[in-house]
Amino acid sequence: MDYDWPIDLERIQAYFDDPKTVSHYARAVANIGLWKSEEAAFRDWIRRDHRILDIGCGAGRIAFGLWRLGYRNIVGVDLSQQMVIEATHIARCLEMPVVFEQEDATDLSVENGRFDIAIFGFNGLMQIPGRNLRRRALREIKRALASAGVFIFTTLDRDDPLYRNVFQDEGDFSHDVTRNPNLLEEGDRHFKTAHGTTFMHVPHQEEVIEDLELTGWSIESSRMRSEISSETEATRSFSENCRF
């Protein structure tokens, strides 16, 4: 369905509750699993005794991948109730007792300092509409982490050749903030996929750094996925190059 008013969290939730979207993410559990770059990053930063919060967990692709690597203290959360239901069902089928709960990243119900590691994979942070809401999520994630906690996330990069070309196309309505009523700010995209119409904010790296610093984070590493590992064809088809 097309819309003619700015994107909001309610519409994001509706997209991810849609059975077609849930099915797409469930297939990724079986057919994609962890990206090679994700596995490398997780091995670098996560100890086996760490308490892990997988934000925007979808159907559990990352959470189950972590379990297979030997991590056991994992909680997956997602805005979509249907994603949580699907992930819980898959966990039972795989006999992996990962806990999944419905949560809004901009208003987490978890207590302060509960986790050591937070993960927001598959560019999930940038599917939160509006810079103020993304900053609120960054503050909430920091609050949920212990003082030495680490946040690992990915985001598309507007300076990557693919998106540099996309945003140079002045005739592309999907990102034209002056004509597309679904958009909130420069860098937003509202576009159709095989399983529905969705939203993504595509920032420059400088924007992400500014928001991290404003919300109290220090940056230990910033690397494109292609710099970390050569991915499988299945992973490249599932997701474009992104920044860790």
Side-chain angles (χ1 to χ4, degrees):
M1 178 180 291
D2 293 326
Y3 299 89
D4 59 1
W5 67 89
I7 196 85
D8 57 21
L9 283 177
E10 184 176 347
R11 280 170 53 193
I12 298 293
Q13 184 173 3
Y15 171 78
F16 285 102
D17 276 339
D18 188 287
K20 296 188 296 297
T21 311
V22 174
S23 177
H24 174 68
Y25 277 71
R27 288 194 299 272
V29 174
N31 300 330
I32 305 295
L34 285 183
W35 306 346
K36 291 181 180 179
S37 50
E38 288 173 334
E39 181 173 344
F42 299 159
R43 289 187 185 278
D44 282 346
W45 291 100
I46 308 177
R47 298 197 315 260
R48 294 296 174 85
D49 62 331
H50 275 156
R51 302 161 297 169
I52 304 168
L53 178 64
D54 177 17
I55 307 166
C57 63
R61 180 184 65 84
I62 287 177
F64 297 131
L66 287 166
W67 184 273
R68 291 188 176 100
L69 291 180
Y71 301 101
R72 291 295 178 264
N73 198 340
I74 307 164
V75 175
V77 299
D78 201 282
L79 181 65
S80 164
Q81 182 182 35
Q82 296 306 311
M83 285 290 186
V84 170
I85 290 171
E86 182 69 15
T88 302
H89 170 71
I90 294 172
R92 288 197 298 266
C93 292
L94 296 177
E95 298 183 341
M96 295 182 183
V98 179
V99 175
F100 293 99
E101 301 171 350
Q102 186 179 15
E103 289 276 1
D104 178 350
T106 70
D107 187 23
L108 295 170
S109 67
V110 303
E111 61 269 25
N112 295 353
R114 177 179 171 186
F115 295 96
D116 304 295
I117 302 289
I119 298 167
F120 212 151
F122 197 23
N123 314 314
L125 178 65
M126 294 302 158
Q127 290 178 302
I128 297 175
R131 196 170 187 182
N132 286 337
L133 275 184
R134 290 190 292 275
R135 289 174 174 175
R136 187 187 302 175
L138 289 171
R139 292 186 180 97
E140 278 292 277
I141 294 164
K142 187 168 182 61
R143 180 188 62 76
L145 289 176
S147 58
V150 173
F151 180 32
I152 303 169
F153 69 101
T154 58
T155 172
L156 298 175
D157 190 325
R158 215 181 325 164
D159 293 317
D160 181 74
L162 170 62
Y163 281 98
R164 190 164 59 240
N165 289 334
V166 166
F167 280 88
Q168 286 175 347
D169 181 359
E170 295 180 358
D172 189 342
F173 180 74
S174 72
H175 64 74
D176 188 342
V177 72
T178 65
R179 294 189 296 135
N180 189 333
N182 296 283
L183 307 182
L184 297 171
E185 57 198 348
E186 187 67 33
D188 286 358
R189 295 190 73 221
H190 187 257
F191 57 99
K192 292 182 179 179
T193 72
H195 44 276
T197 302
T198 190
F199 166 86
M200 180 70 70
H201 181 70
V202 185
H204 293 295
Q205 182 181 191
E206 291 77 14
E207 176 187 327
V208 180
I209 291 172
E210 181 179 328
D211 287 351
L212 288 169
E213 291 178 344
L214 182 69
T215 53
W217 296 92
S218 60
I219 301 165
E220 298 293 330
S221 176
S222 176
R223 301 171 66 193
M224 293 300 290
R225 184 177 75 181
S226 55
E227 297 177 285
I228 299 172
S229 179
S230 176
E231 295 290 353
T232 65
E233 176 60 31
T235 296
R236 292 196 303 273
S237 297
F238 182 66
S239 170
E240 306 94 329
N241 196 21
C242 56
R243 182 172 294 279
F244 278 72

